[in-house]
Amino acid sequence: MPRPADTPRTPTAGTLHHVEIWVPDLTRAIAQWGRLLESLGYTLHQNWDNGCSWGLEHTYLVFEQSPALTRHRHDRCAPGLNHLAFHVPTADEVDTLTQKALDHGWSLLFPDLHPHAGGTHQHAAYLENTDGFEIELVAHQ
């Protein structure tokens, strides 16, 4: 997949190139992930019949509804991907993004500990979408 035109030429060695996430419902994934990623600065990168991607600098996230899926819900507690964590500039922005996510199909994990479920040293939100995928939004310290 080509990179966005305004991306600097050389990525730092070791940074992620892309992450591909297979989803059971592409329309739902676009509605839930798209708004959140765009709020974090990602832009729609590509679209095709069974998928799409959003990019930020050299990294992009792919969402595909593959006909080879063997299950229809992600299990974050099984071996494999547990969650993706995103940097957010401020605690206020974490709170704003959390509310937007809640308004668009995500649910708050560990609500009794929010926004310090990761400890009192950080302000973060742990969210899960309809398909069982978890994200963490972490404020810079």
Side-chain angles (χ1 to χ4, degrees):
M1 290 186 179
R3 63 183 176 73
D6 61 347
T7 300
R9 291 273 178 223
T10 307
T12 302
T15 58
L16 284 175
H17 184 271
H18 73 276
V19 174
E20 184 167 330
I21 300 171
W22 282 13
V23 296
D25 185 313
L26 183 61
T27 301
R28 184 170 54 230
I30 290 169
Q32 291 183 340
W33 285 94
R35 286 182 180 95
L36 177 70
L37 292 172
E38 289 168 8
S39 294
L40 290 167
Y42 285 75
T43 57
L44 187 61
H45 178 52
Q46 288 186 317
N47 258 322
W48 61 96
D49 287 344
N50 294 336
C52 60
S53 67
W54 281 269
L56 179 63
E57 296 180 5
H58 293 285
T59 303
Y60 59 95
L61 299 175
V62 177
F63 298 87
E64 184 173 347
Q65 186 175 344
S66 172
L69 276 176
T70 60
R71 295 188 182 187
H72 295 286
R73 180 166 170 77
H74 176 71
D75 181 355
R76 64 184 177 78
C77 294
L81 178 72
N82 178 265
H83 70 280
L84 297 175
F86 297 94
H87 289 283
V88 178
T90 67
D92 286 344
E93 283 191 63
V94 167
D95 296 341
T96 299
L97 289 171
T98 299
Q99 189 55 56
K100 284 182 183 180
L102 294 173
D103 291 343
H104 291 98
W106 293 82
S107 58
L108 190 61
L109 295 170
F110 323 114
D112 54 325
L113 301 173
H114 178 74
H116 302 292
T120 57
H121 63 283
Q122 81 176 18
H123 188 99
Y126 295 82
L127 300 158
E128 183 180 40
N129 78 352
T130 305
D131 297 318
F133 291 99
E134 179 185 346
I135 61 163
E136 181 180 350
L137 303 173
V138 185
H140 295 293
Q141 294 300 319

